[in-house]
Amino acid sequence: MRDTTQIFQVSTLYGAATLAAALDAGQFGPRGSARRVLLVSNNAGTPETALRLDEMRGYTRIASRFDDVISWNDAIRPYHPSTWGPRGSDVGLWQKAFRLAWDIDEHELIELAVESIQVNPGRALAAIFSEASVHVYADGLMSYGPTRDRLPLTLSSRIQRLLHLDLIPGLTPLLLSEYGVAPEIVPDAAFRAVLDEISQDTAEDPQLAPVLQEAPTAVLLGQYLAAINILSVDEEEDLHLRMLAGAAAAGHKSVVFKPHPTAPASYSQALTKAAAEAGVRLTVLDAPLLAETLYHHARPELVVGCFSTAMVTASHYYGTPVGRVGTALVMGRLKPYPNSNRVPLAIVDHLVADLERDADPATVGAAPASLSPLVRAMGFCMQPTAYAELRETTADWLRAQLGSLPAGYFPDARLAELGLPSSAQARAKLQVRRAKRVVRRAVRRAGNG
């Protein structure tokens, strides 16, 4: 009889690749020590019409690491994975039902690995398997930001660790730190090996071939900012046009645009017209491929985006220079202040060259000394109750730095709400210091005269 079943919940190929790397690195024990189940969740608004994980190139190689693959959508149909969770009185019944359906003995231990413990389906799985130990894995820049919602002690005490990619060496994730959850890095070599493995599956992909024939030297990354109501459709379309203009200004004449799967076709049409007017060859890669697969095969000299994690993976794992466009616009639009995109956006804004200010694209190295205090201060302002111990250090840091920070990082209204130094006060103090320096210089000149 088996002793343990490990259930790995995923919704994206990037997340599945992160788990595969952790498995390959032995972070879940040796193969054969437990039954491994890949539980696939499609969290799109309309899952029936959205791209499925098993349609992504490279999925088969990832799935081969598991003993069984199960669809969470099928298991809970007709409910939606993002909204469904069991009622408290029903969790025992659901556990019995899933153990029976998934061939898990009633005495068998269960371990869960979920991509987010704050929302469903991870939250629902943790409730159903209420005795299971929980491992959380974070596959992007959001691991550096704060935990979005307070977790009950019965759940937080079961979380064993936070597995994450070391995208910004030297920056420690804030996520789940208030519960004493230790972060654990998924080794770079293991993750890069998984990305290379996925890329091998796409070498002969018919949708990739025409892109490679154009020998693109720059990649533009579309996101889904209109789909989540941060920008309007017109604003996001304009953002892509600005990316193209930035790449062209940097000297690139062959560019590939990789739209987000939820993007409307009009985005590509507008870019095609703008590229023709700018004398740039544009190809569009609207295919079920990871951006990293494109980096592997095309070897671009530049990747342009707003604040996509794929920008940082281009730099960290492929040594490709990156440039940003539109981060200030998006920072000003994020609502409410605790929006989970805020820290990833600030990281990219802080580290990546702004193409619209003639900055030279470059790779992102280790975290500078200025980054961790910024992330911690922002994390406190986003979730002041969870990170109450950061109040004094945040206040001290704001007094010293706020006057020089970009607009939108710490809005005056939020600072006033939290009783922290405001930017108006900081600007006033900065003006006083500058005035004093001017007076001192004038006095010195008079004395020398």
Side-chain angles (χ1 to χ4, degrees), residues 90-110:
D90 293 341
V91 293
L93 292 174
W94 280 109
Q95 180 173 157
K96 288 181 180 179
F98 288 135
R99 280 182 178 268
L100 181 63
W102 299 346
D103 190 26
I104 303 174
D105 186 85
E106 62 177 332
H107 301 296
E108 197 169 337
L109 297 177
I110 291 178

Side-chain angles (χ1 to χ4, degrees), residues 110-134:
I110 291 178
E111 292 182 13
L112 295 174
V114 299
E115 61 188 355
S116 176
I117 196 60
Q118 305 164 74
V119 296
N120 293 321
R123 193 70 174 261
L125 286 165
I128 291 167
F129 298 104
S130 56
E131 301 87 12
S133 59
V134 180

Side-chain angles (χ1 to χ4, degrees), residues 215-219 250-252 298-303 319-322 361-362:
T217 59
V219 175
H252 296 273
R299 302 294 179 183
E301 299 169 11
L302 172 66
V303 172
T320 306
V322 291

Side-chain angles (χ1 to χ4, degrees), residues 142 221-240 242-243 257-264 267 305-309 311 325-335 339-342 344-345 348:
M142 283 190 181
L221 296 172
Q223 288 186 244
Y224 54 100
L225 304 178
I228 57 178
N229 299 316
I230 293 176
L231 298 180
S232 69
V233 171
D234 288 343
E235 287 172 329
E236 186 161 31
E237 183 177 83
D238 181 64
L239 187 63
H240 296 151
R242 290 164 60 186
M243 291 180 189
F257 174 58
K258 190 176 189 311
H260 190 271
T262 64
Y267 285 176
C306 185
F307 67 104
S308 170
T309 293
M311 298 169 65
V325 171
T327 51
L329 169 65
V330 177
M331 184 67 80
R333 296 296 180 82
L334 287 185
K335 296 187 186 322
N339 189 301
S340 297
N341 292 297
R342 191 171 298 279
L345 181 62
V348 171

Side-chain angles (χ1 to χ4, degrees), residues 98-335:
F98 288 135
R99 280 182 178 268
L100 181 63
W102 299 346
D103 190 26
I104 303 174
D105 186 85
E106 62 177 332
H107 301 296
E108 197 169 337
L109 297 177
I110 291 178
E111 292 182 13
L112 295 174
V114 299
E115 61 188 355
S116 176
I117 196 60
Q118 305 164 74
V119 296
N120 293 321
R123 193 70 174 261
L125 286 165
I128 291 167
F129 298 104
S130 56
E131 301 87 12
S133 59
V134 180
H135 307 265
V136 178
Y137 69 94
D139 58 15
L141 294 174
M142 283 190 181
S143 65
Y144 296 111
T147 313
R148 186 168 68 183
D149 299 308
R150 186 171 181 81
L151 303 177
L153 180 61
T154 52
L155 174 55
S156 63
S157 61
R158 293 157 51 201
I159 302 175
Q160 305 299 302
R161 57 185 170 169
L162 171 69
L163 287 159
H164 70 101
L165 299 172
D166 196 23
L167 296 173
I168 312 293
L171 183 62
T172 301
L174 193 57
L175 183 65
L176 298 173
S177 62
E178 69 270 37
Y179 301 109
V181 176
E184 183 176 324
I185 293 172
V186 177
D188 283 349
F191 187 64
R192 177 59 196 267
V194 172
L195 293 179
D196 289 347
E197 186 180 338
I198 292 172
S199 297
Q200 291 172 12
D201 267 7
T202 65
E204 306 299 327
D205 192 290
Q207 291 178 282
L208 185 61
V211 174
L212 299 182
Q213 288 173 3
E214 295 297 331
T217 59
V219 175
L220 312 182
L221 296 172
Q223 288 186 244
Y224 54 100
L225 304 178
I228 57 178
N229 299 316
I230 293 176
L231 298 180
S232 69
V233 171
D234 288 343
E235 287 172 329
E236 186 161 31
E237 183 177 83
D238 181 64
L239 187 63
H240 296 151
L241 296 177
R242 290 164 60 186
M243 291 180 189
L244 176 66
H252 296 273
K253 297 300 182 183
S254 181
V255 174
V256 58
F257 174 58
K258 190 176 189 311
H260 190 271
T262 64
S266 61
Y267 285 176
S268 300
Q269 295 167 3
L271 270 175
T272 299
K273 179 181 178 183
E277 293 173 351
V280 173
R281 295 197 312 276
L282 175 75
T283 50
V284 177
L285 182 61
D286 190 7
L289 301 170
L290 285 178
E292 290 74 17
T293 296
L294 182 58
Y295 307 154
H296 178 96
H297 290 292
R299 302 294 179 183
E301 299 169 11
L302 172 66
V303 172
V304 185
C306 185
F307 67 104
S308 170
T309 293
M311 298 169 65
V312 185
T313 57
S315 170
H316 187 67
Y317 295 107
Y318 295 88
T320 306
V322 291
R324 61 179 169 88
V325 171
T327 51
L329 169 65
V330 177
M331 184 67 80
R333 296 296 180 82
L334 287 185
K335 296 187 186 322

Side-chain angles (χ1 to χ4, degrees), residues 343-400:
V343 166
L345 181 62
I347 289 173
V348 171
D349 188 73
H350 195 71
L351 299 180
V352 178
D354 186 346
L355 286 188
E356 294 183 307
R357 294 190 176 183
D358 297 324
D360 293 329
T363 55
V364 176
S370 58
L371 183 59
S372 183
L374 167 64
V375 169
R376 294 304 190 258
M378 191 167 279
F380 170 76
C381 291
M382 291 170 69
Q383 300 293 345
T385 302
Y387 303 94
E389 74 281 1
L390 296 178
R391 168 174 282 278
E392 292 305 316
T393 56
T394 297
D396 292 342
W397 184 83
L398 287 170
R399 290 187 190 98

